[in-house]
């Protein structure tokens, strides 16, 4: 543990240090990243996208009144091909019947003109353009509540606004690995449209909840393993980057264990079961025993690498140490920043939280609930077993047992 706070010469170095030592989320308000590609309006950027790409783009579409008895899982969404300019035009006459979004799109797939100038050097992280993701969506587009098993998340709000509801890692939400997506642990609670039971359960979490509204040019830092539910307030474009961390390697090992367990459950099941249990982006990622155990062995050897080799060099990725300063040391660095630059995301007032939940609960409809339950392709027994053996605490225990027993 450092005895004195180190001196950081540049603002970018200070921000980098604060991000890597974040224990609670914080926002940099009106913090312009000065990215050349976004000096134009959203309409101009979308028009340039259409010109450069010269083909229709596949958007996700979700009925706002369909499937609200569960979160808006990806398996429930349909697709629609259109240009980005057509997407914007639809928003002029949009109702609350459905939302449309480009979610989790890789920046590396964009033509250079559409990502010119994007880097995170103002925050102390450079050369990250191709590792970023962009999210373009309409009002009410939402990401079900989850936490990311890897990295610390930087989110830049480029256009429009988004609502972020966050919970600390120890919050007693109902973890589920159905749908299974590598690196994402979802909860079963539906914050978009809670039913009466969920409304009561979520209300009881009032002492855990944080919230912020991201405006244009705001930058949000989401610490490792913080739960978050994200919903667009209006047409929104945001960019995010997950900072690789040293402890991600053990998380990758645990995610490999989950992959082995989940895929063994679905291999003997029907196609309908596979589509229900696996997120759409995982359907073509099922590995053979030989392949997946090679991955497990590779990760194990990287974890057990001799200490003389820097952890940050493992797996050919630059990985960063995390939370290596104590809170007193980080406070000293915060005091060196310009006044008002950094804003801590604060706990939500109980009355405001309950009001938001009740407002969202008005979206819930029971019209299709019975049919949805009848169409569920797996039994509650199988669902409970999958979520039990893949629970984070159980997987952590398996990892420790494996390390005791396996000596190559």
């Amino acid at each position: 543990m450092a005895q004195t706070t180190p001196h950081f010469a540049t603002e970018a170095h200070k921000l980098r240090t604060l991000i890597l030592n974040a224990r609670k989320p914080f926002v940099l308000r009106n913090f312009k990243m000065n990215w050349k590609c976004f000096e134009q309006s959203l309409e101009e950027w979308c028009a340039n996208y259409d010109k450069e790409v010269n083909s229709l783009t596949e958007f996700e579409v979700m009925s706002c009144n369909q499937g609200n008895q569960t979160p808006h899982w990806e398996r429930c969404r349909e697709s629609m091909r259109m240009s980005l300019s057509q997407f914007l035009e639809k928003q002029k006459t949009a109702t609350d019947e459905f939302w449309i979004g480009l979610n989790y799109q890789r920046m590396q797939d964009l033509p250079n003109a559409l990502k010119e100038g994007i880097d995170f050097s103002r925050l102390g992280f450079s050369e990250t353009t191709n590792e970023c993701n962009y999210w373009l969506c309409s009002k009410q587009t939402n990401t079900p509540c989850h936490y990311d098993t890897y990295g610390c998340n930087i989110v830049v709000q480029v256009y429009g606004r988004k609502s972020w509801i966050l919970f600390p890692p120890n919050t007693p939400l109902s973890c589920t690995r159905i749908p299974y997506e590598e690196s994402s642990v979802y909860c079963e609670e539906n914050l978009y449209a809670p039913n009466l039971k969920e409304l009561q359960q979520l209300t009881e979490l009032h002492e855990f909840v944080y919230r912020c509204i991201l405006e244009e040019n705001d930058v949000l830092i989401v610490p490792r393993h913080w739960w978050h539910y994200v919903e667009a307030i209006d047409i929104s474009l945001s960019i995010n980057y997950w900072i690789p961390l040293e402890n991600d390697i053990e998380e990758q090992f645990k995610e490999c264990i989950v992959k082995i367990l989940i895929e063994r459950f679905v291999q003997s099941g029907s196609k309908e079961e596979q589509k229900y249990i696996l997120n759409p982006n995982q359907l073509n990622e099922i590995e053979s025993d030989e392949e997946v155990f090679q991955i497990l062995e590779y990760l194990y050897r990287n974890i057990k690498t001799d200490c003389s080799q820097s952890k940050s060099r493992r797996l050919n990725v630059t990985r960063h140490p995390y939370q290596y300063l104590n809170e007193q040391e980080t406070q000293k660095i915060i005091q060196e920043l310009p006044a008002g630059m950094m804003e801590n995301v604060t706990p939500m007032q109980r009355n405001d939280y309950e009001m938001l939940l009740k407002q969202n609960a008005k979206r819930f409809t029971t019209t299709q609930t019975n049919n949805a339950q009848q169409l569920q392709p797996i039994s509650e027994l199988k669902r409970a077993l999958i979520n039990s053996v893949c629970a984070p605490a159980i997987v952590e225990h398996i990892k420790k047992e494996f390390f005791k027993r396996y000596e190559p």
Side-chain angles (χ1 to χ4, degrees), residues 28-42:
L28 304 174
R29 292 290 185 190
N30 198 27
F31 188 88
K32 295 183 179 179
M33 299 294 285
N34 300 323
W35 292 338
K36 185 174 178 60
C37 60
F38 295 124
E39 290 177 352
Q40 57 200 316
S41 67
L42 176 59

Side-chain angles (χ1 to χ4, degrees), residues 246-278:
E246 287 183 349
N247 43 14
D248 285 348
I249 302 174
E250 290 202 21
E251 293 296 329
Q252 288 177 321
F253 185 87
K254 290 190 288 186
E255 285 296 281
C256 190
I257 293 172
V258 174
K259 180 179 177 66
I260 291 169
L261 295 172
I262 290 284
E263 291 183 356
R264 273 59 199 165
F265 272 109
V266 303
Q267 280 179 345
S268 61
S270 65
K271 289 292 184 183
E272 287 72 25
E273 278 194 359
Q274 285 190 12
K275 290 179 180 179
Y276 185 84
I277 294 172
L278 301 179

Side-chain angles (χ1 to χ4, degrees), residues 14 161 193 286 296:
K14 292 172 185 175
R161 298 174 298 158
I286 298 177
L296 192 73

Side-chain angles (χ1 to χ4, degrees), residues 176-271:
T176 181
R177 295 313 300 253
I178 303 174
Y180 165 69
E181 178 180 68
E182 183 192 354
S183 83
S184 296
V185 178
Y186 291 101
C187 77
E188 294 181 330
E189 288 82 4
N190 181 6
L191 275 84
Y192 177 80
N195 59 35
L196 287 176
K197 181 180 178 182
E198 289 172 328
L199 185 61
Q200 180 179 351
Q201 292 172 336
L202 289 168
T203 300
E204 292 173 357
L205 302 178
H206 62 88
E207 59 188 87
F208 295 94
V209 66
Y210 292 67
R211 191 198 189 196
C212 71
I213 305 294
L214 284 193
E215 309 273 353
E216 291 185 9
N217 295 317
D218 288 347
V219 178
L220 171 66
I221 308 304
V222 182
R224 178 176 178 265
H225 287 188
W226 272 66
W227 295 93
H228 47 283
Y229 166 76
V230 189
E231 181 175 335
I233 297 174
D234 39 42
I235 302 172
S236 164
L237 191 150
S238 53
I239 308 289
N240 91 294
Y241 169 59
W242 283 285
I243 304 168
L245 304 175
E246 287 183 349
N247 43 14
D248 285 348
I249 302 174
E250 290 202 21
E251 293 296 329
Q252 288 177 321
F253 185 87
K254 290 190 288 186
E255 285 296 281
C256 190
I257 293 172
V258 174
K259 180 179 177 66
I260 291 169
L261 295 172
I262 290 284
E263 291 183 356
R264 273 59 199 165
F265 272 109
V266 303
Q267 280 179 345
S268 61
S270 65
K271 289 292 184 183

Side-chain angles (χ1 to χ4, degrees), residues 57-72:
T57 299
E58 189 169 333
F59 284 79
E60 292 181 323
V61 180
M62 182 72 193
S63 170
C64 293
N65 292 319
Q66 178 183 345
N68 284 348
Q69 62 277 357
T70 69
H72 283 181

Side-chain angles (χ1 to χ4, degrees), residues 331-385:
Q331 283 301 316
K332 290 180 181 178
I333 300 171
I334 292 171
Q335 292 169 7
E336 297 175 7
L337 295 176
M341 173 181 285
M342 178 179 167
E343 176 185 307
N344 289 319
V345 178
T346 55
M348 198 173 182
Q349 293 294 318
R350 180 170 183 172
N351 289 343
D352 293 337
Y353 175 54
E354 291 180 357
M355 189 180 303
L356 177 65
L357 289 177
K358 289 176 181 177
Q359 189 66 32
N360 286 0
K362 293 178 182 178
R363 296 166 169 170
F364 178 77
T365 174
T366 58
T367 305
Q368 299 175 342
T369 302
N370 293 333
N371 289 339
Q373 290 173 342
Q374 291 171 3
L375 294 173
Q376 184 172 297
I378 65 171
S379 67
E380 285 302 320
L381 179 70
K382 189 168 186 177
R383 175 196 292 275
L385 183 59

